[in-house]
Amino acid sequence: MTTKTLKLTLNLGKKNPKKSQKHSCCVYLIDDNKQLLQKNDNAQDSLKNLIQASQIRGKVAETFLHLDLKTAEAILLVGIGSIDKLTGGHLQKIANSIYNALAKTHKSATIYLQDCLDEVQFGQFSLALLNSSYCFDTYKSQKADKPLLSQIDLSVTVNNLTNYEQQLSLQNAIFAGQSLTKDVANEPPNVCFPAFMAKQAHALAKQYPDVLTVKVLGEKDMEKLGMNCFLAVSRGSEKEGKLVLLEYNGLNTTKPTKKTKKAEKLAEPIVLVGKGVTFDTGGISLKPSEGMGEMKFDMGGSASVLGAIKALCEARLPLQVVGALACAENMPSGNATRPGDIVTAMNGTTVEILNTDAEGRLVLCDTLTYVQQYNPSVIIDVATLTGACVIALGNVRTGLFSNDEDVIFELEQASEEAYDRVWHLPLDDDYQEQLNSHFADVQNIGGRAAGSITAGCFLSRFVNDIPWAHLDIAGTAWVSGSKAHSTGRPVPLLLHYLKNKV
């Protein structure tokens, strides 16, 4: 077996210059039998004595920080519970406890993992450490002191060292994408509107010109294409709706020139579609004022697709992927769509809009139709679509709907690897009957019963026979309450899915 220390550099900006603080720390893991999980022949006896003196019980995320005044050596003991029952959730708690214990007092740390984590657990743990360092304080006039901790080294003893190194590289890419997702989703709605999302896409293309190109459709373009469902949402706002298309070509790294003018055409790419309602008042079907401020997160689907494209560019996966951001602001005004209006979707389907607060499926249905021009191998849409999904699954699992068994299996597998979990829900034809309209081909709501399912059924009418999945992230895209913030999900799920397609 090979022992190597892998470096994990945290994205913390400037270091805190306090000189009195200890610069490095050794971190050891303890199980619930008070047993040290790493062999350290040089310090085994002293560590056993420290465990006994600390009275640490080894419970998940329990910590004890020791500073030897004679040697100035710092040691952090961390409980992980039972090694046989270690879950992705436990690893996230352990990572957070390590970061919180050291962030303001140490510049660096070495965590002695040795052979106690397998490849998947190692990936989940390293991403959790990285995410622990994320902070969004753009609008704080008085900034808190930056954490001192800037690097964590992970010491592992394994046979397949290359696999662990590849895992660490993937998690660094995911963290970069997930941080971008959080950044744009945490922005206030007076800053983050459709044009802002287009600007972020162009900035990405400028950063990765060899693999990424961007195209943006405005409302005039959509009018010509007959995307009237999309326009029915954006028409109530003074902010113009935008359909932002990011084309990632990881198979050809030749930068477009003035002679070629455009990148090589993609062949049967994977298409990711994100709902990007940058603020959702509900339109004429106005939402209650309580909690409406959190409706800035209703663009979480497009934020996660943007972040996934960023992570792809960092990871350089040899794939062809299109990210489509369906961006609009849903506002009440004299121009806003009324309940009872009937519009014609891009594919010719007439839609009776009975509730203007069921707007996400309207921007998505036209976008799903549009992206089929790419002849995609699979389409995955991501949307903060229904409160019904929050009632069903809470904030733990994302709702998964699909017309293809292989896609279901692949997403479920990726979700377990990433610990960004999903739960498969049905799309039986029987549910389609709830969408029958007396005046049009379909209505945009199916009643209170099975609300997340009928929303998925509505979208399924616009994907024809293409393998497709719908991810309802209404409960997982952000954390509600006084400290509401974006989670950056499901970027880890999407990247593990894409990695497995290589």
Side-chain angles (χ1 to χ4, degrees):
M1 300 182 83
T2 302
T3 299
K4 185 172 181 179
T5 299
L6 304 178
K7 294 188 181 297
L8 191 71
T9 302
L10 304 181
N11 183 23
L12 297 176
K14 295 180 180 179
K15 315 292 189 300
N16 190 320
K18 292 182 180 179
K19 295 181 179 180
S20 61
Q21 295 167 322
K22 181 66 182 173
H23 286 181
S24 63
C25 181
C26 296
V27 181
Y28 297 95
L29 307 183
I30 311 298
D31 68 13
D32 54 2
N33 290 320
K34 300 183 181 180
Q35 296 299 308
L36 186 70
L37 295 182
Q38 309 92 335
K39 294 181 179 179
N40 188 326
D41 296 333
N42 296 329
Q44 197 76 9
D45 291 338
S46 60
L47 286 172
K48 286 183 178 179
N49 292 335
L50 180 59
I51 292 170
Q52 185 175 3
S54 69
Q55 297 185 341
I56 190 170
R57 295 168 294 173
K59 290 187 176 183
V60 173
E62 183 184 10
T63 61
F64 178 82
L65 182 62
H66 170 73
L67 177 63
D68 191 317
L69 297 179
K70 293 181 179 180
T71 63
E73 181 183 25
I75 294 175
L76 179 68
L77 302 178
V78 184
I80 67 164
S82 171
I83 189 67
D84 297 328
K85 298 179 181 179
L86 196 58
T87 67
H90 291 157
L91 290 170
Q92 290 175 354
K93 291 178 181 179
I94 293 164
N96 287 337
S97 69
I98 291 172
Y99 179 81
N100 291 333
L102 303 178
K104 295 184 179 180
T105 57
H106 293 77
K107 284 185 177 180
S108 63
T110 299
I111 304 176
Y112 292 92
L113 298 173
Q114 307 317 105
D115 61 350
C116 66
L117 298 183
D118 62 31
E119 291 173 42
V120 172
Q121 291 173 325
F122 176 80
Q124 294 170 354
F125 181 63
S126 57
L127 180 60
L129 283 169
L130 288 164
N131 276 323
S132 295
S133 70
Y134 176 83
C135 177
F136 185 83
D137 61 358
T138 304
Y139 299 97
K140 291 281 189 180
S141 56
Q142 290 187 336
K143 312 286 186 185
D145 287 341
K146 288 287 184 183
L148 188 70
L149 188 62
S150 60
Q151 183 172 302
I152 295 177
D153 297 336
L154 304 174
S155 178
V156 295
T157 305
V158 292
N159 288 321
N160 49 346
L161 184 59
T162 300
N163 292 355
Y164 280 71
E165 291 173 328
Q166 290 174 346
Q167 269 284 1
L168 189 58
S169 178
L170 177 67
Q171 302 311 323
N172 273 303
I174 291 174
F175 175 62
Q178 203 169 1
S179 295
L180 176 59
T181 294
K182 293 176 182 178
D183 284 346
V184 296
N186 286 330
E187 287 282 356
N190 60 315
V191 172
C192 180
F193 44 87
F196 175 86
M197 295 299 290
K199 184 178 180 180
Q200 301 308 302
H202 281 299
L204 266 192
K206 187 175 181 179
Q207 187 176 358
Y208 307 100
D210 55 333
V211 290
L212 190 63
T213 57
V214 171
K215 178 170 67 173
V216 179
L217 302 184
E219 291 184 354
K220 289 184 179 179
D221 301 308
M222 293 186 228
E223 287 175 7
K224 293 177 182 178
L225 292 166
M227 301 177 72
N228 298 304
C229 284
F230 194 121
L231 294 169
V233 178
S234 66
R235 64 185 296 176
S237 173
E238 293 183 1
K239 304 294 186 183
E240 182 182 8
K242 304 283 185 182
L243 176 55
V244 184
L245 300 154
L246 302 99
E247 299 181 358
Y248 168 84
N249 191 346
L251 298 179
N252 177 21
T253 57
T254 302
K255 182 180 177 181
T257 65
K258 291 182 179 180
K259 290 183 178 180
T260 60
K261 292 186 179 180
K262 61 180 180 179
E264 181 182 337
K265 187 176 180 180
L266 304 183
E268 298 186 354
I270 298 168
V271 175
L272 307 176
V273 175
K275 173 189 170 183
V277 177
T278 55
F279 193 75
D280 181 20
T281 65
I284 297 298
S285 304
L286 193 66
K287 292 178 180 290
S289 60
E290 184 177 356
M292 192 190 286
E294 293 185 16
M295 287 301 98
K296 72 174 188 174
F297 296 117
D298 207 24
M299 41 69 72
S302 63
S304 67
V305 170
L306 183 71
I309 297 296
K310 163 86 171 181
L312 263 177
C313 293
E314 287 286 318
R316 297 292 165 137
L317 295 182
L319 297 169
Q320 293 185 322
V321 180
V322 174
L325 317 182
C327 301
E329 188 179 54
N330 189 21
M331 299 287 284
S333 74
N335 292 324
T337 296
R338 297 159 291 253
D341 284 358
I342 295 176
V343 297
T344 302
M346 184 179 175
N347 71 349
T349 300
T350 57
V351 180
E352 183 181 14
I353 301 172
L354 295 180
N355 188 331
T356 63
D357 194 23
E359 84 299 330
R361 65 201 71 183
L362 297 177
V363 298
L364 288 175
C365 71
D366 275 343
T367 304
L368 290 170
T369 301
Y370 179 87
V371 298
Q372 290 173 54
Q373 67 178 295
Y374 288 100
N375 191 26
S377 58
V378 61
I379 301 173
I380 300 173
D381 77 69
V382 189
T384 52
L385 207 63
T386 65
C389 196
V390 183
I391 300 302
L393 300 176
N395 61 2
V396 175
R397 290 183 183 258
T398 290
L400 166 62
F401 305 82
S402 180
N403 62 0
D404 187 281
E405 290 293 333
D406 289 338
V407 175
I408 293 169
F409 174 79
E410 291 166 355
L411 284 169
E412 287 179 332
Q413 181 184 26
S415 80
E416 294 301 323
E417 290 175 5
Y419 202 72
D420 188 358
R421 294 167 294 167
V422 299
W423 190 259
H424 176 214
L425 291 161
L427 279 177
D428 300 35
D429 286 343
D430 298 20
Y431 291 108
Q432 293 280 3
E433 296 178 7
Q434 293 177 228
L435 296 171
N436 290 341
S437 168
H438 184 62
F439 296 104
D441 296 332
V442 64
Q443 58 191 39
N444 76 324
I445 56 172
R448 189 172 184 180
S452 59
I453 296 173
T454 54
C457 286
F458 179 90
L459 295 177
S460 72
R461 297 183 180 220
F462 297 87
V463 293
N464 298 323
D465 297 325
I466 298 172
W468 158 80
H470 160 57
L471 298 173
D472 192 331
I473 60 169
T476 56
W478 81 90
V479 173
S480 294
S482 59
K483 297 182 180 181
H485 62 273
S486 169
T487 64
R489 293 176 65 182
V491 173
L493 162 63
L494 294 174
L495 259 292
H496 277 265
Y497 169 81
L498 293 171
K499 181 258 299 179
N500 293 342
K501 300 295 282 187
V502 173

